[in-house]
Amino acid sequence: MNKTCVRLFDLRAWHLMLSAFCFLVVSESCLFGEEVDFNRDIRPILSNKCMTCHGPDEEHREAELRLDSEESAKQDRDGYAVIKPGDVKASSLIERIRSDDPDLVMPPPDLKKDLKPSEIALLEQWIASGAKWATHWAYVAPRKYAEVQVDNKQWNESFIDRYIYQKLQEQKLQPSAEADHVTLLRRLSFDLTGLPPSSAQVDAFVNDHSSGAYEKVVNRLLDSDHFGEQIAIYWLDLVRYADTVGYHGDQDHNISLYRDWVIDAFNSNMPFDQFTREQLAGDLILGSTSLQKIASGYNRMLQTSHEGGVQSKEYLSIYAADRMRNLSAVWMGATFGCAQCHDHKYDPYTMKDFYSMQAFFADLDEAQHFKVGGNSLPTNRPPELTLWNPVDQKEYEKLKQEIQVIEDQLKNLAEKTEEQQQEVTPERKNLTKKIEQLKSESEAIRKRQRKSMISVAIEPRVIRILPRGNWLDDSGEIVSPAIPEFLGKLETDGKRATRLDLANWLVDPDDGVGLMTARVFVNRLWYLMFGNGLADLSDYGGQGETPTHPKLLDQLAIEFVESGWDVKHLIRLLVVSKTYRQQSLVTDEMQKKDPGNKWFARQSRYRLSAESVRDTALAISRLLVEDVGGASVKPYQPAGYYRHLNFPKRTYKHDTDSRQYRRGVYVHWQRQFLHPMLKAFDAPSREECTAKRPRSNTPLAALTLLNDPTFMEAARAFAGRILLEGGESCGSKIEFACKEALSRLPDKTERKVLMQACIMQLAYYEEHPDQAKQLLAVGMTPSLEGVNSSEHAAWTQIARILLNLNETTTRN
């Protein structure tokens, strides 16, 4: 035997040994852990490696074989079967996968989708054990399971903790100890309000030894107006809320009242089923209110073009496709957009489903802007509704009454003035003055009105299937409103189905997909409280990740629906659990067995959202304006950042009043040119649904914290607090500063470093007073009277250090 043959033999032997080893590893995991599960172990392999050619897409399907269908996969094909349960050797699937012939091996080499030995071993193990099939987990409604009990008393009180503990035991992991009081309070405050706790709140919680102290804090934070602002940020990411149209000139459009409605809905704990109906069909609800019409602005938030000469037919098809992508992602966790040009390659959505769902929205009056849009700021996007600010219903009614009173007074005064026209008297002068005063008041109130795009139903336009998604091709079948065929059929007594019918179906747990919708939403709430979802956040289809805790996810969905779609109830359940209250410390064992924390043996540790990073600095400095609702605001921004924006050309002008210090949720959202601070901290442009923001760690973010005028001004204001409230000595000032920024006292090393830094900075600014004045000139807040500018500048630098610390901007 020559050396080449020996080498070839060795390679083949090694390949067989490796495959056998992987098979044994898989078998052992199945033997001593869970058995092979089709949805968890097999479907992902078939979806990733096979369904491009052997999936739901009939047009591109090869060999008339569907590996998403049990019937097709196990069908007798003239004496052979692709999958023959219990017989690996007789299953051509394995034969083709293991073939050395490039013309026979599957997947074909040019697709570069070779299976790993461990994947082949799993398929063989599955076939050998009977090739048990299962419907895709996401298309089966959540169901109740027998109650789980665990052998740990502390982890046996909540169904959440029982499921988590059971899985940890299976993975041979131990849960972490409970976090300390300060960490818990900061975690809760950031998760539920997006703001750090004040030092007074920290002291109160640490010193409250009552049995319900933790629950009391949870309830206080859930009742805070800031709760709605925090949760709204995530919802606005999902529905791609922005203040501009996105395409071409990216002009402003009127939609900020919708954002305020979302905030108010979360604060008032609006049931999620109602929350859904009002957005999709608020204008169709019987006796629709102004606020419900504002909610229906959801349907108008997509990107639009106001370029002269655009083809309305083309853009209406673009808008319709955009709407389908978003609707399916937000409420169904589906990638429906993949069925725009052909049947979905991995999931059972067809082109007909895609266009039939579009037909629900064919009644929207959304084409007026093609005639009256233009390049104005804001641009015209009728129909619009004018409402008072804020959106809160009580305040709205109160303002309506106030206007009526003023108008009545004006009318009465005008009549009295006419009676006295013959003679100029002091009384007449007073009445005239009063008239001017009331007119001024009236005008001030009227200026608080804002326009917002809304949905208005008109005669539905014709919707047809567009072959290959081509808007110019009218040869496709005309379709009527209908839900995806594999999910059933809407019963509408022969009438054309409406957006309201669709919304009702989405939240109907009995005759619709309400429980499946609930499963999508509770998974995202879990992600907000734990840093990871229990399942894929964006794709519940074949290309998405299988749930790590499917039974827990189902139980949470059922709990949510049975609670009356109560968002605060579900969040309360999550945050009072022992799972939530764990430390976030990563042990060597966790790093080895579960580096991504998918089994939740600890809490997650991650940087705050872009908005919360900004809000935290403003809160610590006491610059934060805590008003809820209102028009979008414009903080400081680099000059010339908008220089490439045209139609029209524009110059950014930052706000010069208290609006400069509003929360991040209210910052003007320019899709093409997102505010640089938000961009540096990974906020999305909101052109598409964003279910999970990336988390980067870049020098640009650190430089933003150091040099953005908002953070510079926050540091200066924080330094003023340190000087006025921190005591006389340098040490007491450092303690005050750390307690305000970090909710704790500095350790010995930190105290020493900060003391040295303070001394050095003070010496520098005493030697360079002009530099001190230049540093303190940033922003609009006035200089502190009676405070030495060198000292103020020195402490401003210390404040900049503290605001830039990882601990300040991290949720533990």
Side-chain angles (χ1 to χ4, degrees):
M1 189 181 292
N2 62 36
K3 291 182 179 179
T4 304
C5 291
V6 170
R7 246 185 241 113
L8 183 60
F9 176 80
D10 288 344
L11 285 170
R12 286 178 176 171
W14 172 248
H15 175 74
L16 289 171
M17 288 171 63
L18 182 62
S19 297
F21 171 74
C22 291
F23 182 84
L24 287 171
V25 168
V26 171
S27 300
E28 184 180 2
S29 70
C30 298
L31 192 62
F32 298 105
E34 296 179 275
E35 63 182 30
V36 177
D37 179 271
F38 180 77
N39 274 323
R40 184 191 65 220
D41 304 317
I42 304 304
R43 187 185 292 278
I45 299 173
L46 298 178
S47 181
N48 291 334
K49 303 298 173 71
C50 310
M51 287 191 195
T52 303
C53 303
H54 302 294
D57 183 6
E58 184 177 359
E59 186 177 345
H60 298 94
R61 191 181 303 140
E62 299 288 345
E64 297 183 7
L65 170 64
R66 291 186 63 170
L67 289 177
D68 65 316
S69 162
E70 181 178 16
E71 181 183 358
S72 178
K74 295 179 180 178
Q75 178 185 354
D76 182 273
R77 297 170 183 265
D78 296 328
Y80 80 95
V82 175
I83 295 172
K84 189 167 184 179
D87 194 339
V88 176
K89 288 184 179 179
S91 298
S92 65
L93 175 73
I94 302 301
E95 180 187 349
R96 297 292 292 272
I97 286 172
R98 284 200 174 279
S99 175
D100 292 328
D101 187 336
D103 293 327
L104 293 176
V105 67
M106 287 290 160
D110 60 329
L111 292 183
K112 302 187 185 305
K113 287 178 176 278
D114 295 350
L115 274 75
K116 300 174 184 175
S118 59
E119 293 173 326
I120 299 172
L122 262 174
L123 289 170
E124 291 177 339
Q125 172 73 6
W126 171 65
I127 292 172
S129 62
K132 187 178 179 182
W133 207 275
T135 304
H136 185 54
W137 65 271
Y139 309 135
V140 178
R143 62 185 180 88
K144 290 186 177 181
Y145 299 90
E147 195 168 308
V148 175
Q149 295 295 326
V150 295
D151 59 3
N152 186 318
K153 241 183 195 179
Q154 293 181 323
W155 284 76
N156 215 12
E157 294 180 8
S158 158
F159 75 85
I160 293 172
D161 296 328
R162 288 195 289 270
Y163 276 114
I164 293 296
Y165 188 82
Q166 182 186 57
K167 190 66 74 172
L168 289 176
Q169 294 297 288
E170 290 173 6
Q171 300 299 321
K172 296 182 172 49
L173 284 165
Q174 290 299 315
S176 298
E178 185 167 306
D180 63 85
H181 274 50
V182 174
T183 299
L184 282 176
L185 182 59
R186 284 180 68 85
R187 181 186 299 165
L188 277 172
S189 296
F190 283 130
D191 285 352
L192 300 186
T193 69
L195 296 170
S198 67
S199 55
Q201 290 168 341
V202 172
D203 290 340
F205 181 54
V206 169
N207 295 316
D208 186 348
H209 303 294
S210 63
S211 58
Y214 182 82
E215 288 74 12
K216 195 191 308 178
V217 168
V218 170
N219 290 334
R220 173 177 63 80
L221 294 171
L222 287 173
D223 289 340
S224 165
D225 285 344
H226 298 312
F227 167 77
E229 294 173 320
Q230 171 68 358
I231 304 301
I233 290 172
Y234 185 69
W235 186 259
L236 298 178
D237 278 358
L238 291 174
V239 299
R240 51 30 177 155
Y241 168 90
D243 290 296
T244 62
V245 303
Y247 292 138
H248 195 236
D250 201 23
Q251 299 90 354
D252 298 359
H253 60 194
N254 295 312
I255 195 62
S256 62
L257 280 169
Y258 168 84
R259 177 198 56 214
D260 291 356
W261 176 87
V262 171
I263 292 169
D264 187 62
F266 282 122
N267 276 334
S268 64
N269 204 23
M270 179 184 289
F272 187 78
D273 57 343
Q274 180 185 345
F275 184 69
T276 296
R277 288 189 195 94
E278 295 195 5
Q279 290 179 84
L280 295 177
D283 58 311
L284 300 181
I285 294 172
L286 189 63
S288 175
T289 66
S290 295
L291 292 182
Q292 288 171 331
K293 289 181 175 66
I294 292 295
S296 74
Y298 160 75
N299 295 319
R300 308 287 311 289
M301 271 193 309
L302 40 68
Q303 297 185 88
T304 56
S305 177
H306 297 253
E307 181 183 2
V310 296
Q311 297 286 324
S312 59
K313 185 178 177 183
E314 176 187 13
Y315 272 85
L316 285 174
S317 71
I318 290 172
Y319 300 167
D322 184 335
R323 189 173 287 117
M324 284 305 97
R325 291 195 302 274
N326 193 261
L327 171 77
S328 64
V330 174
W331 276 277
M332 302 167 71
T335 54
F336 213 173
C338 296
Q340 180 180 354
C341 304
H342 51 73
D343 292 346
H344 203 296
K345 286 190 176 293
Y346 306 102
D347 303 330
Y349 299 107
T350 65
M351 281 185 75
K352 185 173 182 179
D353 293 335
F354 182 83
Y355 290 97
S356 296
M357 285 282 279
Q358 277 190 19
F360 281 107
F361 299 88
D363 67 332
L364 287 175
D365 182 359
E366 61 176 338
Q368 291 188 49
H369 76 84
F370 294 123
K371 296 179 180 178
V372 300
N375 297 328
S376 59
L377 294 176
T379 188
N380 297 312
R381 284 195 61 193
E384 295 176 318
L385 184 66
T386 301
L387 272 189
W388 304 109
N389 166 49
V391 174
D392 182 84
Q393 183 72 51
K394 292 179 182 177
E395 183 66 15
Y396 170 60
E397 296 298 338
K398 180 182 173 184
L399 284 171
K400 274 175 62 177
Q401 292 171 9
E402 190 176 342
I403 285 289
Q404 189 60 55
V405 168
I406 292 173
E407 287 179 344
D408 288 345
Q409 288 177 341
L410 282 169
K411 186 177 179 181
N412 292 336
L413 289 170
E415 289 173 356
K416 289 182 180 179
T417 305
E418 286 174 8
E419 292 173 4
Q420 299 176 16
Q421 279 181 355
Q422 303 301 321
E423 184 181 353
V424 178
T425 64
E427 185 182 1
R428 184 179 176 188
K429 287 182 179 179
N430 290 336
L431 288 171
T432 303
K433 188 176 180 182
K434 183 65 175 175
I435 289 174
E436 291 173 355
Q437 180 185 339
L438 287 171
K439 282 184 176 179
S440 177
E441 283 183 41
S442 177
E443 185 58 28
I445 294 173
R446 290 186 189 281
K447 281 183 179 178
R448 291 163 64 180
Q449 289 180 313
R450 278 181 286 158
K451 287 182 178 180
S452 196
M453 294 179 290
I454 61 171
S455 294
V456 171
I458 57 175
E459 183 68 25
R461 61 190 179 91
V462 173
I463 300 294
R464 61 174 74 242
I465 296 173
L466 301 180
R468 301 180 66 84
N470 182 2
W471 65 276
L472 289 170
D473 190 339
D474 287 336
S475 66
E477 174 191 353
I478 293 176
V479 293
S480 298
I483 59 174
E485 191 174 343
F486 79 96
L487 290 174
K489 187 177 180 182
L490 276 183
E491 297 298 334
T492 58
D493 297 326
K495 298 177 182 176
R496 180 187 173 94
T498 67
R499 285 179 280 120
L500 186 56
D501 292 320
L502 174 63
N504 287 332
W505 174 75
L506 283 169
V507 293
D508 185 340
D510 300 317
D511 299 317
V513 290
L515 284 167
M516 289 187 258
T517 301
R519 183 162 54 197
V520 173
F521 187 66
V522 298
N523 181 45
R524 288 167 174 165
L525 288 181
W526 181 280
Y527 157 69
L528 292 180
M529 300 301 129
F530 293 92
N532 286 322
L534 294 168
D536 198 302
L537 292 164
S538 303
D539 187 358
Y540 272 35
Q543 291 289 287
E545 295 178 9
T546 308
T548 53
H549 302 73
K551 292 181 179 179
L552 172 56
L553 186 56
D554 277 6
Q555 295 305 103
L556 287 169
I558 292 168
E559 177 73 26
F560 186 43
V561 172
E562 291 184 346
S563 72
W565 300 84
D566 188 327
V567 175
K568 288 188 179 182
H569 166 75
L570 193 79
I571 290 178
R572 187 180 287 107
L573 270 183
L574 299 182
V575 300
V576 299
S577 68
K578 285 195 72 64
T579 307
Y580 179 85
R581 289 185 278 178
Q582 293 178 104
Q583 294 176 357
S584 59
L585 182 68
V586 184
T587 65
D588 290 340
E589 181 188 27
M590 291 175 195
Q591 187 62 40
K592 183 179 178 182
K593 292 185 177 180
D594 185 21
N597 196 29
K598 69 177 182 178
W599 304 117
F600 303 102
R602 58 180 171 86
Q603 252 291 1
S604 297
R605 186 173 187 270
Y606 47 83
R607 197 203 60 223
L608 301 174
S609 69
E611 294 91 337
S612 284
V613 169
R614 167 190 165 82
D615 296 345
T616 294
L618 292 175
I620 291 170
S621 66
R622 293 294 185 269
L623 285 176
L624 186 68
V625 173
E626 300 189 15
D627 296 344
V628 177
S632 296
V633 299
K634 294 186 174 181
Y636 305 114
Q637 182 172 285
Y641 184 58
Y642 281 1
R643 65 187 179 279
H644 297 302
L645 270 177
N646 293 296
F647 309 107
K649 279 194 167 294
R650 66 209 81 169
T651 301
Y652 183 88
K653 294 180 180 178
H654 65 74
D655 290 324
T656 55
D657 53 20
S658 62
R659 290 175 295 177
Q660 181 66 235
Y661 312 116
R662 298 291 309 280
R663 293 200 63 177
V665 68
Y666 303 111
V667 169
H668 175 79
W669 214 274
Q670 187 85 31
R671 277 181 166 132
Q672 287 186 20
F673 288 86
L674 184 63
H675 190 281
M677 180 269 150
L678 297 175
K679 197 169 186 177
F681 286 92
D682 305 312
S685 64
R686 291 183 177 158
E687 294 168 79
E688 294 284 346
C689 171
T690 302
K692 185 176 184 177
R693 292 186 183 185
R695 294 186 186 118
S696 64
N697 188 9
T698 67
L700 188 60
L703 290 169
T704 299
L705 284 176
L706 279 173
N707 300 314
D708 184 299
T710 295
F711 292 93
M712 287 285 291
E713 188 168 9
R716 193 182 85 178
F718 185 28
R721 289 193 64 214
I722 294 169
L723 289 168
L724 296 176
E725 304 173 45
E728 296 299 321
S729 69
C730 189
S732 68
K733 286 181 171 63
I734 289 172
E735 287 185 0
F736 172 84
C738 287
K739 197 162 184 188
E740 292 299 308
L742 309 174
S743 304
R744 65 171 178 82
L745 295 173
D747 62 28
K748 194 178 285 187
T749 302
E750 290 167 335
R751 188 189 303 269
K752 182 180 177 182
V753 169
L754 289 172
M755 287 277 279
Q756 289 175 341
C758 185
I759 291 168
M760 289 172 60
Q761 291 293 326
L762 185 57
Y764 174 81
Y765 284 117
E766 284 179 343
E767 191 175 330
H768 301 88
D770 290 344
Q771 292 289 319
K773 290 178 182 177
Q774 184 177 339
L775 179 69
L776 299 176
V778 175
M780 303 185 305
T781 50
S783 300
L784 294 176
E785 292 184 12
V787 174
N788 180 282
S789 61
S790 297
E791 189 177 8
H792 193 181
W795 281 103
T796 295
Q797 298 291 30
I798 301 302
R800 290 175 79 194
I801 292 171
L802 291 173
L803 294 181
N804 206 319
L805 287 177
N806 183 57
E807 188 176 348
T808 306
T809 59
T810 299
R811 176 265 200 207
N812 280 303

